[in-house]
Amino acid sequence: MTEVPFRLPAQWLAPYDEAAAARLIERFAETGRNEARLSARPAVAAMLAAIGGNSPYLSDLCLREAAVLSSLIRSGPDKAVAGAMAELAAIPPAARRPVVASGLRRAKRVVALATAIADIGGIWRLDKVTGALATLAEATLRLAVAHLLRAAHGRGELNLPNLDEPAQGCGFVAIGMGKLGARELNYSSDIDLVLLYDPAVPVYTPQTAGEAMGAFTSRLARDLVTLMEVRDSDGYVFRTDLRLRPDPAATPPAIALPAALTYYETLGQNWERAAMIKARPVAGDLGLGTGFLEAIRPFIWRKGLDFAAVADIHAMKRRIDQHAQSRQAASRIGAKKGGGSSSAEDPVARIAGHNVKLGEGGIREIEFLAQTLQLVWGGRDPGLRVATTLEALRLLARTGHLAQRAATELARSYRYLRRVEHRLQMVADRQTHTLPDTPVGLAQFAVFMGHADVAGFAAELLGHLDQVGRRYAEVFGNVSAGAGEAGPALDFSGVDEVPPETAATLAALHYASIPTIVAAVRGWLAGRPRALRSERSRDLMAQLLPTVLAALARQPQPDTAFARFDALVAHMPAGVQLLSLFQRNPHLLDRVAAILGAAPWLADHLTRHPAALDGLLSPDEEPEPARLLRARLRDATTLEDVIDITRRMVREEEFALAAATMDGRLDADSAGLRRTALADAALSALLDPVLADFRSRFGRVRGGGMAVVAMGKAGGQEMMAGSDLDLMLIYDHPEDATESHGRAGIKRLAASQWFVRAAHAYIAAVTAPGIDGPLYAVDMRLRPSGNKGPVAVSLRSFRQYHATSAWTWERMALTRARVIAGPPALRKAVEAAIEEALAHAGEPARVRSDAAAMRARLARELPPTGPWDVKLRPGGQIEVEFICQTLQLVHGAGHPEVRSQITRVALRRLADAGALAASDAETLIRADRVWRTVQGMLRIMLGRAAQADLPEATARSLLRAANEAGAPAVDLAGLRLTLDALAREVRALFVRHLGDITG
């Protein structure tokens, strides 16, 4: 065998998990004779060990792309990346969608593997790593856009001037923002895009001209996002974010050029100016994108600061000063002007759970520093108008706007923190920036960063964080010095200082950060938020101020509640309507204040989606969701209308349900039933329009139909806020209906292909991103064969699979299966097939043993995330469900009446049938209610990650709900003791009915 020309670095990272490292080396060697020889080389073995022992994601990638890895070892990452890009470039835009999608994902896998090895081994510098990732993103976007444009031409929706180069003169462009625009993509990054189209470009046909143009370009945008980010058996390309477009809460995903120009000329904000520093046309009509950026150049780079801009920068300076002061007081990372690191905390404890992007001393502070200095000086000095952070730091130092030593330190820290960010994301291909918060996790990650112990890593990281924090404070202590002299500062009465009466009133209301409150209110009354730009909206706000401040002051932490209300004001698309509602409905303001005070997650949701407030104005007793949705859908004329109306209603009702649960008007059982009824209505309402749209393009399969089966929490009618939908799609058609038929010229599909593609269209509608996010997140892993199987399965295949191949856990999952949509006859047939599968679950002893083994595996692979993880904890919700599902399988064959998708109902039925002692059933029913109550309340208030120490207002709501659910306690410590005791009872019942959990 010839020598390996690719010289690997001598020092590769040691593996944390030596067993996993050995497995990767062994499995790679098993892929072929050459691979066995390669893996025997010390440097190669060290590389494989480093990957296999530290990154499950890269380990899997190495095995999936073993041939690429072999070539990479021999020839280096440059050749591997070049080969992947050449293969991508060879795919014609006119290729079939599956070919394009597969090619995009193949390129992503290869480049991800090559850049990871180049990064971990120190073979490439940071700019080459991020540049390679950005080049991949740009190339995949260009192919995706060209393919979608070519397909639209083929459907008669566009008349493109050059079919060989579909993007040429097409009038549609993707502007890369953020790290994509700056060619600084991180390893597992989103790509931020602004999609524009020029309605004046003569490419639109009668189908898409005029008013239909907006719908067409919106669909094109959604198709682009779907093609890029939907996961399939080949993986995904890039997660795609369109929220940096103008006014994302009120605009479609693709913006008309005139509307975008008008927006930036009249309504653009300073943060949007900063975002546009990095903007770059990356796909589609690049000339259109270049022209657009040239047109808004005066918006980005202002020759002089007007009064509003001066006030914004001065206010920003004060906020940064306050932030620096709080950092000094807290000594979180020891950032002190002229000072050193604090030794009051253990270094390892200080970095645990730290966010290296958004946290103090992190990447965002460096970027914010550079972009703000560019905004201040770039209007006068065009040489500062660069996109990359490192180049901006260099130029700012060269022009004297940043000390050379500071620029050097910040650049060094930036490179280091980006390396940490990349390692975090390489572990499992997650877009995370947060360090592990456990000793084991930190120790493991320290090894991946090349340290022998976590103490060394902590010291190195804290050195950079402290350094960035100091430079951040130093620089912003001088930004816009003297800007306040351009005009008087704003306050309630229009004078510089806080009026003593105002300060006294705020102090009496128990506000602590009075200058912060006054500064924010001045901003409101000055019309700085978009919603307060009209005189009427400002007058309304002035009238409401005493009521607003009093309502927020009644919360346990008034300053926190005020800050969240300020964020809500900043995100409101319009002010007059909402403020008028507050004025006429004081109770609504009280409810909003309670949410802002007690539920950070819900408050954040409200900030992102202010329209959700409409749900709080609905009467307590509304029509059932299906009827309400049908009424609203009368206004729908297109599939896009159906999706948008459905999404909006779900957002409103979900928020209302969460608010009602938080303030005690709904318990976990009632909220679960109502939330599930809402999901049922939405899924049912979408099915027929999606299939009708699909039939218009591909004809129909005679006598065929598709049914939607809900599983998991949706099947059990126990959905919580933010629950994913576990779905299974089952279709059936006559055996002699082998392909679709339709009008002349329509494309025919084989029957199975028709239903699989129709299923994809349906899931795309359910998960389509909109201004309020997707309708629902969908998980289809419970379908036969899981992710390896087709998205839709035929009824015959379903029956055969469960008759011959199904696992016990799959039949356990079927106990919660509920058919919610589809033709009546097919629904009955699917229900019968589910009953048949459940009736032949297998020998009871084996079912119990399989269930216990599955729980043991989950205990190993998915340990609880903290003291409030009542789902995964020993004796938690998952064990209640396992007991219920297993006993239904064991006893349901002879007594089908014991079965129910609802856990509490099934437990009662098992007790009534004598299959479960009444006392055991009552214990499990109580545990089921308590676990869902605790999990649901924490989900509403804090999201999915509740920390051990809960905010005071959150604790109050949780204690009230837990007491009502059957877990009495007077404080959090007592509640945890109560939950621990209940968990021990559940675990004892699990062992008694299913068997001991080992391993």
Side-chain angles (χ1 to χ4, degrees), residues 687-700:
L687 183 59
D688 286 342
V690 168
L691 293 181
D693 178 78
F694 193 79
R695 285 192 292 267
S696 71
R697 291 177 285 139
F698 300 103
R700 67 172 61 239

Side-chain angles (χ1 to χ4, degrees), residues 58-351:
L58 291 178
S59 183
D60 291 342
L61 205 54
C62 286
L63 294 174
R64 177 159 188 170
E65 300 294 341
V68 172
L69 179 60
S70 298
S71 175
L72 192 153
I73 293 169
R74 293 186 178 91
S75 305
D78 291 272
K79 185 173 181 179
V81 170
M85 300 306 292
E87 290 181 10
L88 190 65
I91 301 174
R96 295 173 58 250
R97 181 69 55 85
V99 173
V100 172
S102 177
L104 295 173
R105 285 153 177 77
R106 156 78 175 169
K108 170 64 182 293
R109 295 195 305 271
V110 174
V111 175
L113 180 59
T115 54
I117 289 176
D119 193 355
I120 294 171
I123 302 164
W124 286 355
R125 293 175 53 180
L126 173 65
D127 58 350
K128 190 166 184 178
V129 172
T130 59
L133 293 169
T135 298
L136 170 69
E138 187 173 344
T140 55
L141 279 168
R142 289 190 179 187
L143 175 58
V145 170
H147 168 73
L148 293 171
L149 292 169
R150 184 65 178 79
H153 179 95
R155 295 191 298 267
E157 295 170 320
L158 292 177
N159 186 15
L160 298 173
N162 186 349
L163 293 183
D164 293 329
E165 297 289 340
Q168 188 178 85
C170 69
F172 180 89
V173 64
I175 305 290
M177 306 289 288
K179 287 186 167 60
L180 171 60
R183 298 184 58 79
E184 295 173 332
L185 274 188
N186 55 49
Y187 191 77
S188 185
S189 180
D190 283 0
I191 51 174
D192 295 295
L193 301 176
V194 171
L195 303 179
L196 301 174
Y197 68 95
D198 187 354
V201 173
V203 296
Y204 299 95
T205 67
Q207 292 184 49
T208 54
E211 294 182 358
M213 195 179 299
F216 167 74
T217 53
S218 293
R219 186 168 65 252
L220 185 65
R222 286 191 290 269
D223 287 346
L224 175 62
V225 172
T226 298
L227 186 55
M228 294 296 291
E229 71 175 17
V230 166
R231 291 178 182 268
D232 58 22
S233 59
D234 291 321
Y236 72 106
V237 194
F238 285 97
R239 294 175 294 270
T240 307
D241 193 336
L242 305 181
R243 290 175 295 177
L244 289 183
R245 68 185 185 274
D247 199 5
T251 56
I255 312 297
L257 179 64
L261 292 173
T262 299
Y263 173 86
Y264 288 116
E265 290 169 1
T266 59
L267 301 175
Q269 303 295 298
N270 278 330
W271 71 264
E272 291 171 305
R273 292 173 59 205
M276 281 295 170
I277 292 175
K278 296 179 180 291
R280 178 172 61 93
V282 293
D285 191 338
L286 301 183
L288 171 64
T290 300
F292 163 72
L293 292 178
E294 179 61 26
I296 66 167
R297 179 176 53 80
F299 159 72
I300 307 170
W301 306 110
R302 298 177 182 173
K303 294 181 180 179
L305 295 175
D306 59 19
F307 177 80
V310 169
D312 281 348
I313 292 178
H314 188 56
M316 178 182 64
K317 174 184 177 295
R318 290 183 305 189
R319 290 194 299 270
I320 294 169
D321 286 344
Q322 294 162 2
H323 181 63
Q325 291 164 8
S326 66
R327 182 192 288 115
Q328 286 178 315
S331 297
R332 176 67 178 87
I333 59 170
K336 298 181 179 180
K337 293 182 180 179
S341 299
S342 168
S343 59
E345 295 179 83
D346 172 59
V348 175
R350 290 170 60 197
I351 69 168

Side-chain angles (χ1 to χ4, degrees), residues 33 44 46 91 116 155 180 182 225 232 296 343 460 468 489 688 690 706 709 785 788 795 825 827 836 929 965:
R33 180 169 55 88
V44 175
I91 301 174
R155 295 191 298 267
L180 171 60
V225 172
D232 58 22
I296 66 167
S343 59
E460 184 176 36
V468 172
D688 286 342
V690 168
M706 187 161 64
V709 182
S785 300
K788 297 179 181 179
L795 181 58
R827 292 180 64 165
E836 181 180 354
R929 183 170 59 251

Side-chain angles (χ1 to χ4, degrees), residues 495-641:
V495 297
D496 289 337
E497 299 298 326
V498 178
E501 298 83 358
T502 302
T505 299
L506 292 173
L509 289 171
H510 305 293
Y511 287 105
S513 302
I514 292 175
T516 302
I517 307 295
V518 172
V521 173
R522 286 172 176 164
W524 299 349
L525 299 181
R528 194 166 298 144
R530 180 176 66 249
L532 299 176
R533 291 203 176 121
S534 72
E535 184 176 354
R536 173 61 177 151
S537 64
R538 293 195 297 274
D539 288 343
L540 283 169
M541 177 58 82
Q543 296 170 33
L544 282 169
L545 266 177
T547 306
V548 169
L549 292 171
L552 297 172
R554 285 191 287 272
Q555 307 313 309
Q557 296 174 305
D559 291 80
T560 300
F562 180 91
R564 291 171 184 155
F565 186 84
D566 187 34
L568 171 61
V569 171
H571 285 79
M572 290 192 307
V576 172
Q577 182 180 12
L578 187 60
L579 293 174
S580 298
L581 290 174
F582 283 152
Q583 190 178 51
R584 291 193 298 268
N585 301 276
H587 70 280
L588 176 62
L589 185 55
D590 286 334
R591 293 186 68 188
V592 170
I595 290 168
L596 298 176
W601 182 84
L602 206 56
D604 183 60
H605 175 84
L606 181 58
T607 298
R608 296 193 310 270
H609 315 300
L613 273 176
D614 293 350
L616 296 184
L617 299 175
S618 304
D620 289 339
E621 295 298 328
E622 280 210 0
E624 54 95 16
R627 183 154 57 92
L628 181 63
L629 184 55
R630 283 196 300 270
R632 294 196 183 188
L633 288 174
R634 290 172 187 163
D635 292 333
T637 58
T638 66
L639 176 58
E640 287 73 24
D641 290 340

Side-chain angles (χ1 to χ4, degrees), residues 896-910:
E897 68 277 5
V898 304
R899 290 201 292 265
S900 172
Q901 296 95 344
I902 303 174
T903 301
R904 59 189 179 277
V905 174
L907 289 169
R908 290 193 186 98
R909 291 181 178 180
L910 287 163

